[in-house]
Amino acid sequence: MSAEETKSPSADAAADIVKPKGIGRRSVLGALASVPFLGAFVYSFLSKKAAEDARKKAILSELGLPAGGRAPAFLPRTTLKKQGQLVRLGFIGFGGRGEDLAISAGFAHPDIIAEQRQKALEDKENKWLESWLNQDDLNVDFAAVCDLFDIRTERGVAAASNEERPGGAKGFPGAKRYKRYQDLLADKDIDAVVIATPDHWHTRIALDAVAAGKHIYCEKCLTRTEEETHQLAAAVKASPIVFQLGHQSRQQESHLQAKDLIRANVLGKVTLVETSTNRNSPNGAWVYDIHPEGSESNIDWETFQEPAPNKVPFSKERFFRWRCWFDYGTGLSGDLLSHEYDAINHILELGIPKYATASGGIYFFKDGRDVPDVFQAVFEYPDRDLTLVYSATLANGRVRGRLIMGHDATMEVMQGLTVYADADSTRYKDKIEKKIIDPELPLASYSQGAKGIDTVTSATEKYFAGRGLMYTYLAGRIMDVSHLHIADWLDCIRNGGQPRCNIDQAFEEAITCHMATRSFVEGRRVAWDPAAKKIV
Amino acid sequence: MTPSPAPSRESWPCTKLKLWILVLLRMAIGWHFLYEGIAKLLNPYWTSASFLLESKGPLAGLFHSAAADPTVLKIIDFLNIWGLIAIGLGLMAGFLTRAAAAAGMVLLALYYFCNPPWIGYAYSVPQEGSYLFVTKNVVEFFALWVVILFPTSRTIGLDGLIFRKKGRA
């Protein structure tokens, strides 16, 4: 009941004369009383917005970036070209990584699907299967498989014929099974191969694949030695095949955004780059499970160790945990420094360093391995006035972001990225003094899935961007970078062009890693002689 | 003598001062909701995903799966932004105030149960204060209850025009 209704009938009658609809003066005044409040709101809101817009505009123009940033560089659904003709894939090496790549290409073993289905039932948040089934159909046939361990070959055959495929794709009759990779390469029904063997086999298989005219997706590290690197790079460059090295982080959106910021010279002169690997589990330290049924009768040990410099009697440890020995790989260099170096090389286009110095030791996993579990490498680029520092431990899980340090700002790149102006920057001095730029707050940030670079960020957003956990999907879908990396390779096979990690970048990766390995093994600083194209 | 502006038949104790303090309470909450909504609307990077993903407690599963589904997330973001704006405008203008206040209470309850500050739950998002069970959301929730019980909008607000006869807002 309103106040008006308590008035005398005569007052009501009078009001009715003035306002035939019976709206009282007091009601109108009461209704209007909120106008000043709304007015104050609108005024203060517009003032705040104008101040923030001006600050944002000032920072963006200072950074030379378009207002609002740019759109994500890679949206799978819109940028993937037509799937074109069917590509028939052969998998050479079907261990952990080979199987992962088959899954990314759209072929999972029925056991994996059953296991994931069970997990999704038990835990509604587990979206692995759902997102895998929603992946694009890449129009490939898993047509052949070859592994030295029979049980793995059988897994490949089962994965290849699985009816359950992503993107509603049809199933295939199954993969041909080969004991020798040479026979797989001789198969006229194979267009391209995925090489996911231990590193010591990469070069031989890849050289034979080039000779057989098969396109190659090769796992990192490209090779085990410098000599192999020269041989393989020369062969691939002289052939028309499409070569992709397995550094799937080249598909990472934050790296592309970082490249843009570097190009815009947001950081000023970059003199130091720090990157790292931290892992803290037996699996992370390559103490992989030894298959209970693995034995001399179903593992072709002699073929396995054929390209290795030292021959030893049958060893399940060495077969299943090959990364722990220099005979088959290069330890942290080729496995994890390679990823970190490639990420930095992608962002900064550093190329091969002039000098490398590495050190380390076996400090935690004293299990008979001969590769270090704590390792650091320093790479000098005198032409760029820059040093790249890598440090790694397999016995601590602290996540350290990649830090790119310039005179004017520092960029930390993870899944997302953040840029902080340097308090003593020359370029931003004026704006720091005018309080337009606060060195304590991100100058620019990017979170995976966001629409572009942002310049004014709240504390919470800053936190999430730093941790890189804000978005797990791109363009509304959960993103598997290996899937994108394979798709990139297939695109180039069908439509021409160079994939994101081609043989030139692969060459730089392998030489840089081998410089670190050589330095560690020989206990001295090594140099790259660009004229002689040689590590000296 | 100015007649008392007490808007209710039950004549809750209402002097002019009390009435205006209650109106200010309504305006402050309305202002807060309205700006929260507009700030989100104007930030192209804003999404509730990170807030939902941080969820702990009995409803965590529900919030997590909402964050993981892009369509559901879009709907939640839309409802949240426009809900906040509508509630804010309603409270400030005194328009359908009881409904606005009730909707505000529902939103606040959802925020509270998404990240309840209960014993044993630690959050990695920095918070601006220290809370045990009672957060500012809880205080605002009860403040909205007060707004519902003391319908100032019929005196100061558009509800005075709408609900003249029935005396309800």
Side-chain angles (χ1 to χ4, degrees), chain A residues 90-110:
Chain A
F91 278 77
I92 302 173
F94 206 73
R97 189 59 193 151
E99 183 154 1
D100 284 348
L101 288 171
I103 292 168
S104 294
F107 298 88
H109 191 279

Side-chain angles (χ1 to χ4, degrees), chain A residues 1 5 22-23 27 30-31 33-34 37 40-41 44-45 48-49 125 451-454 460-461 463-464 471 473 476, chain B residues 7 24 27 31 34-35 38 42-45 47 50 64 67 70 73 92-93 124-125 154-157 161 164-165 167:
Chain A
M1 181 195 266
E5 285 170 86
I23 295 171
S27 295
S34 50
F37 290 97
F41 180 90
S44 46
F45 163 70
K48 184 177 159 78
K49 188 170 179 325
E125 288 169 48
K451 292 170 191 155
I453 299 285
D454 192 12
T460 316
E461 284 161 344
Y463 169 85
F464 279 115
Y471 300 86
Y473 40 82
Chain B
L24 282 178
M27 291 291 174
W31 183 297
L34 181 57
Y35 187 66
I38 288 181
L42 295 182
N43 180 355
Y45 307 98
T47 163
S50 51
H64 290 170
L73 189 65
M92 288 192 79
S124 43
V125 190
R154 281 182 290 136
T155 317
I156 307 294
L161 300 179
R164 235 177 109 252
K165 294 286 180 222

Side-chain angles (χ1 to χ4, degrees), chain A residues 48-359:
Chain A
K48 184 177 159 78
K49 188 170 179 325
E52 273 177 8
D53 285 352
R55 184 172 160 235
K56 202 167 199 160
K57 218 176 137 193
I59 295 176
L60 283 171
S61 75
E62 175 70 57
L63 300 182
L65 295 172
R70 72 162 170 80
F74 194 76
L75 290 172
R77 262 205 204 287
T78 52
T79 59
L80 273 189
K81 293 166 204 146
K82 280 199 78 171
Q83 299 296 333
Q85 87 281 13
L86 179 76
V87 175
R88 297 161 300 177
L89 293 181
F91 278 77
I92 302 173
F94 206 73
R97 189 59 193 151
E99 183 154 1
D100 284 348
L101 288 171
I103 292 168
S104 294
F107 298 88
H109 191 279
D111 287 355
I112 290 178
I113 293 183
E115 189 188 315
Q116 289 295 339
R117 185 155 283 138
Q118 188 56 34
K119 279 187 182 168
L121 276 178
E122 286 163 11
D123 177 7
K124 279 189 179 158
E125 288 169 48
N126 190 323
K127 301 273 180 193
W128 187 93
L129 185 63
E130 192 188 314
S131 75
W132 182 73
L133 288 171
N134 282 328
Q135 250 174 23
D136 280 330
D137 169 22
L138 297 177
N139 197 18
V140 288
D141 178 10
F142 181 168
V145 61
C146 170
D147 197 282
L148 298 177
F149 177 27
D150 293 344
I151 290 174
R152 284 179 173 167
T153 319
E154 282 156 23
R155 271 190 84 84
V157 170
S161 59
N162 195 354
E163 289 286 318
E164 212 157 351
R165 307 267 332 273
K170 65 177 169 68
F172 287 96
K176 284 188 225 169
R177 188 183 162 150
Y178 287 101
K179 266 208 169 312
R180 298 172 65 248
Y181 79 85
Q182 291 89 342
D183 296 333
L184 187 152
L185 291 177
D187 188 336
K188 293 275 176 281
D189 295 333
I190 301 296
D191 306 307
V193 290
V194 174
I195 302 172
T197 63
D199 299 358
H200 69 306
W201 262 110
H202 287 178
T203 308
R204 279 216 211 168
I205 298 171
L207 284 173
D208 290 346
V210 171
K214 313 287 189 201
H215 302 291
I216 300 170
Y217 183 107
C218 182
E219 260 311 317
K220 50 83 202 166
C221 184
L222 179 68
T223 57
R224 201 187 67 87
T225 66
E226 183 192 355
E227 294 66 35
E228 291 174 351
T229 315
H230 289 298
Q231 249 185 310
L232 183 52
V236 170
K237 283 179 89 74
S239 87
I241 65 139
V242 175
F243 182 95
Q244 173 92 299
L245 186 68
H247 282 301
Q248 65 275 5
S249 67
R250 291 227 169 209
Q251 310 295 336
Q252 190 76 255
E253 178 61 27
S254 64
H255 294 186
L256 301 172
Q257 297 283 357
K259 258 177 110 72
D260 272 8
L261 291 171
I262 294 290
R263 218 173 279 137
N265 197 29
V266 165
L267 306 187
K269 183 173 172 140
V270 174
T271 51
L272 183 61
V273 181
E274 224 178 67
T275 184
S276 58
T277 303
N278 281 44
R279 286 180 169 184
N280 198 11
S281 70
N283 200 56
W286 317 309
V287 186
Y288 301 134
D289 290 340
I290 290 176
H291 198 286
E293 289 164 48
S295 73
E296 251 178 303
S297 66
N298 53 20
I299 292 172
D300 183 352
W301 174 251
E302 284 318 314
T303 304
F304 175 84
Q305 68 168 349
E306 207 185 300
N310 299 298
K311 306 288 187 283
V312 297
F314 176 68
S315 157
K316 282 200 256 188
E317 279 75 21
R318 284 179 169 244
F319 183 79
F320 288 103
R321 299 169 180 170
W322 59 271
R323 287 192 188 278
C324 298
W325 286 273
F326 278 122
D327 281 337
Y328 321 110
T330 54
L332 274 161
S333 269
D335 188 26
L336 298 166
L337 160 64
S338 64
H339 270 316
E340 292 302 315
Y341 163 77
D342 184 72
I344 299 298
N345 193 30
H346 184 205
I347 295 167
L348 288 173
E349 292 167 27
L350 290 177
I352 297 168
K354 176 75 186 148
Y355 304 109
T357 315
S359 67

Side-chain angles (χ1 to χ4, degrees), chain A residues 11-31:
Chain A
D12 252 3
D16 281 347
I17 292 164
V18 184
K19 300 179 185 67
K21 283 179 185 167
I23 295 171
R25 184 175 53 90
R26 196 179 291 279
S27 295
V28 174
L29 284 178

